[in-house]
Amino acid sequence: MHDTHTQPGWHPRVTALVPCHNAAAFISRTLDSLASQTWPNLEILIGEDRSTDATPQIVAKFAAGHRNVRVLNRQHNLGWLRNTNDLMASAEGELMFFAFHDDVVDPTYVETLVRALQDNPSAVLAYSDVEVIEVNGDSATSTFDRLSGLHSSLSRGLVMAQQPHGWWVPNRGLFRAWAFHRSGGIKPNSQGEYCADWTWLLHLSLLGAFVRVPQVLCHKYYRPGSISKAWTHHRSQRRALRAAGLREIWHSSLPWAQRAILLTAMMTRPWRLRKRRR
């Protein structure tokens, strides 16, 4: 049992994890949204991944103007997955969230999601709906409510194992730091980083409930060249994701009987890729 400290006076340290590489065109918007948060106990932890544009200068200027910012300047390019895992390992917060450098969060984002976790001490993650803004300016709201009301790890795992529509939305949420240590972080598969956050969320769903806050607090901006727009979808990726999902279940802390049910469900169901967004 984990001590979640959800008493009325709970004021946890929260860390915003900002992995960035060649983000000069848009990272200032993301950083400004973090600086505008109403939650006072916030650490902003930036992993500057050997950018070749003006990102290091923008990040350094931002850090100089804000006392709650730490910058980890990488000695060599790590890629988003290793960069993000190292940020989680280096964070001081009891709670964390990914502040991807093309996302913007509302000023009350952290405060609202902290209260959602306070009201749900068994939950591992709280998240909001997400506005998705396409390159051409079109926008739509993405929601995910398939886990609402599910109180067992097995029931949540059976849903997430299907990679259901909108599975990626909770990755814009606030999660407990112990989940990183329990899950082992975000792991690559045989296709590299592709959809690695799906297996991460699958494992987190086995650790605790996901709480949806039904309002838009996060805005995801697509840009020309966005990774998730450029990726193709083919059979080798389906095989890689299935194998990665099986490994997450196998290495989880679920009782063997429940792991067997999940492993069988994943092995026997028809497998199709659902696009993810990072």
Side-chain angles (χ1 to χ4, degrees):
M1 179 67 68
H2 292 275
D3 183 4
T4 53
H5 300 290
T6 52
Q7 296 86 1
W10 191 49
H11 297 288
R13 180 82 160 159
V14 176
T15 299
L17 308 161
V18 190
C20 59
H21 175 72
N22 288 349
F26 39 85
I27 193 171
S28 291
R29 180 174 56 188
T30 299
L31 296 176
D32 288 343
S33 77
L34 298 177
S36 298
Q37 290 301 299
T38 57
W39 187 253
N41 195 8
L42 179 68
E43 173 191 35
I44 301 173
L45 183 59
I46 304 171
E48 206 304 294
D49 202 18
R50 299 294 293 178
S51 297
T52 57
D53 62 4
T55 301
Q57 291 76 29
I58 294 171
V59 166
K61 182 178 179 180
F62 178 78
H66 299 84
R67 298 178 61 183
N68 62 332
V69 177
R70 284 195 291 144
V71 181
L72 303 182
N73 291 300
R74 307 306 186 186
Q75 298 304 307
H76 58 275
N77 181 264
L78 299 179
W80 81 267
L81 194 155
R82 287 200 296 157
N83 192 6
T84 300
N85 278 328
D86 186 71
L87 287 174
M88 286 191 280
S90 303
E92 297 177 353
E94 183 179 345
L95 306 175
M96 313 183 206
F97 67 98
F98 303 127
F100 298 116
H101 56 208
D102 45 7
D103 287 1
V104 172
V105 290
D106 288 354
T108 58
Y109 168 89
V110 173
E111 181 177 2
T112 302
L113 296 185
V114 168
R115 296 312 176 202
L117 288 176
Q118 181 177 22
D119 293 340
N120 296 272
S122 65
V124 68
L125 183 151
Y127 65 99
S128 74
D129 299 338
V130 178
E131 181 190 20
V132 178
I133 301 94
E134 300 288 348
V135 175
N136 64 5
D138 291 345
S139 66
T141 298
S142 292
T143 63
F144 182 69
D145 60 2
R146 292 285 303 277
L147 299 183
S148 298
L150 300 183
H151 301 295
S152 74
S153 297
L154 178 59
S155 61
R156 293 189 299 268
L158 287 170
V159 170
M160 289 301 290
Q162 299 171 21
Q163 203 182 34
H165 180 74
W167 65 265
W168 58 271
V169 173
N171 208 39
R172 281 1 193 239
L174 185 66
F175 57 93
R176 301 189 191 275
W178 58 256
F180 162 68
H181 301 285
R182 284 277 300 276
S183 66
I186 309 175
K187 307 177 189 71
N189 53 60
S190 63
Q191 292 293 306
E193 298 179 341
Y194 180 80
C195 271
D197 45 356
W198 168 67
T199 45
W200 153 259
L201 289 171
L202 170 63
H203 200 141
L204 262 58
S205 75
L206 306 180
L207 296 176
F210 286 16
V211 178
R212 176 192 170 214
V213 174
Q215 62 186 96
V216 174
L217 297 173
C218 179
H219 311 267
K220 192 260 185 311
Y221 287 85
Y222 272 116
R223 55 188 175 81
S226 289
I227 294 175
S228 52
K229 289 288 191 182
W231 270 330
T232 58
H233 307 278
H234 48 74
R235 187 172 301 174
S236 61
Q237 289 174 327
R238 292 197 295 271
R239 289 195 297 265
L241 285 179
R242 185 196 296 265
L246 292 171
R247 285 194 299 271
E248 290 295 323
I249 294 167
W250 178 260
H251 292 294
S252 75
S253 59
L254 290 183
W256 163 242
Q258 294 185 24
R259 279 185 285 161
I261 293 171
L262 283 173
L263 291 169
T264 301
M266 185 171 289
M267 286 296 296
T268 57
R269 76 171 182 83
W271 188 267
R272 64 187 183 278
L273 287 177
R274 291 194 182 274
K275 293 183 180 179
R276 43 89 67 212
R277 302 177 189 269
R278 188 179 70 237

